[in-house]
Amino acid sequence: QVQLVESGGGLVQAGDSLRLSCAASGGPFGRYTVGWFRQAPGKERGFVATINLSGSSTYYADSVKGRFTISRDNAKNTVYLQMNSLKPEDTAVYYCAAGKGPLSYYLDEYNYWGQGTQVTVSS
């Protein structure tokens, strides 16, 4: 069973950048599609980005396209989310998730979830 731990969140100002990390243990991470999701207060958890097993294919939510970049280093069992030009509306708890299916923005396609890391963007 894969365990996921997110890190890298924090409080930043609008226009700043952050890089989130998702570290995996307990299994060969290279066998999993990995996604990033986020949940703002009072809202449902929503899709942000996803990356395939090798890192050769990615997919983004329209709201982050061009600002966020997902990448992975399977040798380090880690997936990253580089977030640039942050906006107050990006404020949320960010979760990484792993699944054995294809790239997907559906939460149900992911079997393993981390505990989340808080990102707060002030205006």
Side-chain angles (χ1 to χ4, degrees), residues 80-93:
Y80 305 98
L81 185 68
Q82 178 67 43
M83 306 187 296
N84 298 330
S85 302
L86 282 162
K87 304 175 181 180
E89 51 263 45
D90 294 318
T91 295
V93 177

Side-chain angles (χ1 to χ4, degrees), residues 81-112:
L81 185 68
Q82 178 67 43
M83 306 187 296
N84 298 330
S85 302
L86 282 162
K87 304 175 181 180
E89 51 263 45
D90 294 318
T91 295
V93 177
Y94 283 71
Y95 300 88
C96 68
K100 290 194 172 182
L103 292 180
S104 176
Y105 49 78
Y106 292 112
L107 277 71
D108 291 347
E109 294 288 340
Y110 297 87
N111 307 103
Y112 306 104

Side-chain angles (χ1 to χ4, degrees), residues 31-102:
R31 295 183 181 178
Y32 294 90
T33 297
V34 177
W36 283 98
F37 295 80
R38 65 186 180 185
Q39 187 167 17
K43 295 188 177 181
E44 294 186 350
R45 194 172 300 187
F47 170 75
V48 175
T50 185
I51 189 166
N52 69 342
L53 278 62
S54 66
S56 61
S57 184
T58 58
Y59 183 65
Y60 297 92
D62 288 344
S63 58
V64 306
K65 200 172 296 182
R67 300 188 297 123
F68 291 11
T69 302
I70 188 171
S71 61
R72 69 190 300 163
D73 185 341
N74 288 337
K76 295 183 178 180
N77 283 347
T78 303
V79 170
Y80 305 98
L81 185 68
Q82 178 67 43
M83 306 187 296
N84 298 330
S85 302
L86 282 162
K87 304 175 181 180
E89 51 263 45
D90 294 318
T91 295
V93 177
Y94 283 71
Y95 300 88
C96 68
K100 290 194 172 182

